[in-house]
Amino acid sequence: MLHIREAIVVEGRYDKNTLSQVVDTLILETGGFQIFKDPEKMALLDRAARRRGLIVLTDSDGAGFVIRNRIKGTIPARYLKHAYIPDVYGKERRKRQPGREGKLGVEGMPPQVLEEVLCRAGATFLDGDGLAGRSGPALTKADLFAAGLSGGAGSAEKRQALLRRLELPEHMSANALLAVLNGCYSREEAEEILKDL
């Protein structure tokens, strides 16, 4: 498993599932073209980019480039790196028919190809596990439970208030919030955020 400093943005959950078997980093989804209608999600991408850098890894079809260009037009270039998968024709196993252009997406790429495209994009590979400079282990669901953000009375309301304060999408689950806290903040910063509830 590769440990990468930068967060990575992909189009959808199947891309995220495939990539999470190759790299250990914060992986965010655009939800396809939903990114055009979701300023909160774009703000999340911008925050991740400014905190740790962002690698854009979209499909090599026309739709992937439209999404890539939207991100490129919104987030300053100094925070972005671009990874491009090769044009490989075929169809993903889960689909009945190939896509409109007949190309495989991120989800159809073998692990070694994903590693190569991330290397070519200039990803920062870490020796350890986690963000450079991080001290202590990552937060867990138990930390969210202890802070009253999951599994208890009023936890959904508390989580919504925190999401608003951090300017994160309101529909984020506790697991997604945990990934952002661990991916965009040091352990100390995340603990301070939880203390201020």
Side-chain angles (χ1 to χ4, degrees), residues 48-85:
R50 291 173 190 274
R51 299 277 311 183
R52 60 190 292 178
L54 184 68
I55 297 174
V56 182
L57 179 60
T58 57
D59 294 349
S60 60
D61 59 5
F65 276 88
V66 169
I67 293 167
R68 180 186 298 276
N69 288 333
R70 173 64 173 218
I71 295 168
K72 197 187 317 185
T74 305
I75 299 174
R78 68 182 175 273
Y79 301 117
L80 294 177
K81 294 179 180 178
H82 292 274
Y84 297 92
I85 61 171

Side-chain angles (χ1 to χ4, degrees), residues 9 28 30 35 41-49 54 71 75:
V9 61
L28 302 167
T30 67
I35 194 77
K41 190 166 280 190
M42 190 60 82
L44 173 59
L45 294 179
D46 186 60
R47 173 172 301 147
L54 184 68
I71 295 168
I75 299 174

Side-chain angles (χ1 to χ4, degrees), residues 98-121:
R100 184 178 300 167
E101 295 180 30
K103 299 176 184 176
L104 291 178
V106 171
E107 72 174 277
M109 292 292 126
Q112 65 272 18
V113 171
L114 294 173
E115 288 179 25
E116 289 170 17
V117 300
L118 291 171
C119 284
R120 282 197 304 265

